[in-house]
Amino acid sequence: MWMTPKRSKMEVDEALVFRPEWTQRYLVVEPPEGNGALCLVCRRLIVATRERDVRRHYEAEHEYYERYVADGERAALVERLRQGELPVASLTPEERAARAGLGLCRLLALKGRGWGEGDFVHQCMEVLLREVLPEHVSVLQGIDLSPESARQRILSIDRNLRSQLVNRARDFKAYSLALDDQAFVAYENYLLVFIRGVGAGLEVQEDLLTIINLTHHFSVGALMSAILEALQTAGLSLQRMVGLTTTHTLRMIGENSGLVSYMREKAVSPNCWNVIHYSGFLHLELLSSYDVDVNQIINTISEWIVLIKTRGVRRPEFQTLLTESESEHGERVNGRCLNNWLRRGKTLKLIFSLRKEMEAFLVSVGATTVHFSDKQWLCDFGFLVDIMEHLRVLSEELRVSKVFAAAAFDHICTFEVKLNLFQRHIEEKNLTDFPALKEVVDELKQQNKEDQKIFDPDRYQMVICRLQKEFERHFKDLRFIKKDLELFSNPFNFKPEYAPISVRVELTKLQANTNLWNEYRIKDLGQFYAGLSAESYPIIKGVACKVASLFDSNQICEKAFSYLTRNQHTLSQPLTDEHLQALFRVATTEMEPSWDDLVRERNESNP
């Protein structure tokens, strides 16, 4: 056993001084105030700092921990207790029941289930235990999954996660915000505000900062105040803000009245970058589709899908399509969500492959099929499928997180080079990069052998040109910091004479360091910069923190959007803004709730 030393009767009275060895022996630490000893298990303060008092508390309250004997086990136990984790076996039956109830409520939230379904889960568990483990049915008595209890528990989890975020935000050296006003496409209008922060060790944290009800904060000034309030609550100043990622709606990027221009004015600081703004990351496929859908193709297809869902649901040829739709939205879907689903390259490609079956179905139900005899419409359909497929590939590349903005910008630049290539190929009527359009053109040539002009290249060149201009506008700010991005991603091959004057000395010193070069070769960028000395390379380290804080993917926004579309009927029920924020925080965070803190909070509120 891990033996606690027994005192000799001949010992003189102990001094009132905390001893470091007590941390492993009695699981206590010296409190910040310096008086007494703080128990890591029950978080009680032992006022008298004599060893006999500390030992008495330990033996009376926490003798269970004597089973952790080996030094390694003991050290690991202390570390877990410092982080607020209690071994499950040390909890009382009531505390275990409370912890189970919290976990089940979180699972219900993650799956988008309604508050009332907790009772159903409880009934299922009761039936299961009565049949399989009848002697354990009594454990369910302490697990309350009533609707009101589920609501309160989700709010408790949200407070816990928000508290963790605030604690981590205090250490952010730089951060960026992502503002998404397009996620709530079919309900009350909300703005989702996400934050990406970087600590001193270059550890990256992405999370939901807040949700703002746009009905109550309609003006840009009111929006700005709500965001500033959320930042202030998290202990963050605008002077540490490096980047803004937004959608390209007028509310966000209006030239004189957009939220971005307001925030840039507020964030001006002589000691930091101007705030970097880029607006093409969020909902790339969705928003770009409006620029390339030249013939309202998607609106027409939307009408066909509604017909299939109402009159062709049993047709075998449409089962793959219907299954895909239901996996995204459930069996029932509103028009806006359906329209957004159709604006994805993957969906359009599937529908294009079923165009013959759709034509036969429309004929069978007496609907118009005029579009299938319109060669211009068919060519536009094929072109839309191809260009949206290219956008889908780019969107998936931008969905990969933890690659830093430099890699994401490389994907953007590569796609812009592709657009130039597409321009030339269309002009030459080379449809190698447009397989769907080529398929349509070949079919039309077979049907109209005398017609030499099947499609108009100028029409599609204009669309590609429009897309190029949009990309140039959306990512203009990233081009301004291109040198910083290149320096960050490849510091040993970056020529010092091309670097900013302030960083040249440090860069030369860095490139001459063989040990750092070896580390750079075997580590990823994050690990390399995390180990770089801030004292020796303060400017380079500062640039690294700023670049690392820029959003490098749209993953967290897509996670929120996917959660909404999958659970649209649950989320369309009456919910307070507080509950809605709690659900989205639980659905998007990578942090784990501190279950023991939640159980302790419950015990304190219900003594």
Side-chain angles (χ1 to χ4, degrees), residues 81-99:
L81 291 172
R82 284 182 186 275
Q83 295 175 4
E85 295 180 16
L86 288 175
V88 175
S90 70
L91 301 176
T92 65
E94 293 79 10
E95 289 172 332
R96 275 184 253 168
R99 185 165 175 152

Side-chain angles (χ1 to χ4, degrees), residues 173-174 198-203 487-488 503 506 510 525-548:
K173 297 299 180 184
V198 176
L202 226 78
E203 61 278 2
L487 172 61
F488 172 82
V503 80
E506 283 188 18
L510 176 77
L525 272 177
Q527 292 172 330
F528 170 73
Y529 281 111
L532 192 65
S533 170
E535 294 180 359
S536 302
Y537 306 97
I539 299 176
I540 292 179
K541 187 89 171 186
V543 170
C545 284
K546 290 175 181 177
V547 172

Side-chain angles (χ1 to χ4, degrees), residues 89-224:
S90 70
L91 301 176
T92 65
E94 293 79 10
E95 289 172 332
R96 275 184 253 168
R99 185 165 175 152
L102 287 161
L104 286 169
C105 289
R106 177 178 177 242
L107 185 60
L108 288 170
L110 283 170
K111 299 300 180 183
R113 314 312 297 179
W115 307 122
E117 295 193 33
D119 285 334
F120 176 67
V121 171
H122 194 280
Q123 292 168 16
C124 291
M125 292 168 63
E126 186 174 359
V127 170
L128 177 68
L129 288 178
R130 284 191 190 283
E131 294 298 328
V132 181
L133 297 168
E135 67 276 14
H136 293 292
V137 173
S138 59
V139 302
L140 294 176
Q141 294 176 0
I143 303 177
D144 182 9
L145 294 178
S146 64
E148 184 56 33
S149 177
R151 287 191 190 95
Q152 294 307 316
R153 282 174 170 166
I154 287 298
L155 290 178
S156 296
I157 292 172
D158 175 59
R159 285 193 296 271
N160 183 271
L161 292 170
R162 191 166 63 239
S163 175
Q164 290 186 54
L165 176 62
V166 169
N167 289 336
R168 296 184 187 188
R170 293 194 186 104
D171 299 326
F172 288 169
K173 297 299 180 184
Y175 72 90
S176 294
L177 297 180
L179 310 178
D180 184 1
D181 61 346
Q182 290 294 298
F184 285 81
V185 292
Y187 312 105
E188 295 290 337
N189 210 359
Y190 289 87
L191 175 69
L192 298 176
V193 182
F194 299 98
I195 187 168
R196 176 185 170 100
V198 176
L202 226 78
E203 61 278 2
V204 175
Q205 173 80 30
E206 279 189 18
D207 230 296
L208 176 70
L209 180 64
T210 188
I211 291 182
I212 300 172
N213 190 327
L214 294 177
T215 306
H216 302 151
H217 301 82
F218 184 76
S219 70
V220 172
L223 265 181
M224 184 72 188

